[in-house]
Amino acid sequence: RGDLGIGAPVVAREAAEQGKPVQSHWAHMVIHGVLHLRGFDHLSEAEAEVMETIETLLMAELGHADPYAY
C-alpha cells in the first residue's frame, strides 16, 4: 500500500535523453512504481534482475519495447 508520484517534466526529459517514446517511458515508470508498491526492489543485482524481467514482460504485453534496450 502506498502512493505513486511521477513527475511529467522528468518523464519527458528522460524519454528525450534516452531516445524513448514518451508514452513508453510513462508506461515503464508506472509499471516500475507499482512493482515497488508491491514490494519489489532493485537494491541487489538479483533483485534488479527479477524486477527488470517483470518490467520487460509487462511492457511487451502492452506493446512497448524493452525499456532497458535503449
Side-chain angles (χ1 to χ4, degrees):
R1 188 171 181 133
D3 297 318
L4 180 61
I6 303 172
V10 174
V11 172
R13 185 190 77 239
E14 288 178 349
E17 290 171 354
Q18 297 171 24
K20 298 177 179 181
V22 173
Q23 185 178 10
S24 291
H25 197 44
W26 267 107
H28 182 213
M29 293 298 93
V30 170
I31 290 168
H32 188 89
V34 169
L35 287 175
H36 276 301
L37 291 174
R38 300 280 310 201
F40 290 88
D41 215 327
H42 44 81
L43 297 175
S44 72
E45 191 172 322
E47 289 175 322
E49 186 176 327
V50 169
M51 193 166 174
E52 290 172 12
T53 298
I54 295 169
E55 290 170 334
T56 301
L57 290 170
L58 291 173
M59 289 288 286
E61 285 186 31
L62 295 172
H64 296 285
D66 179 347
Y68 297 102
Y70 291 88

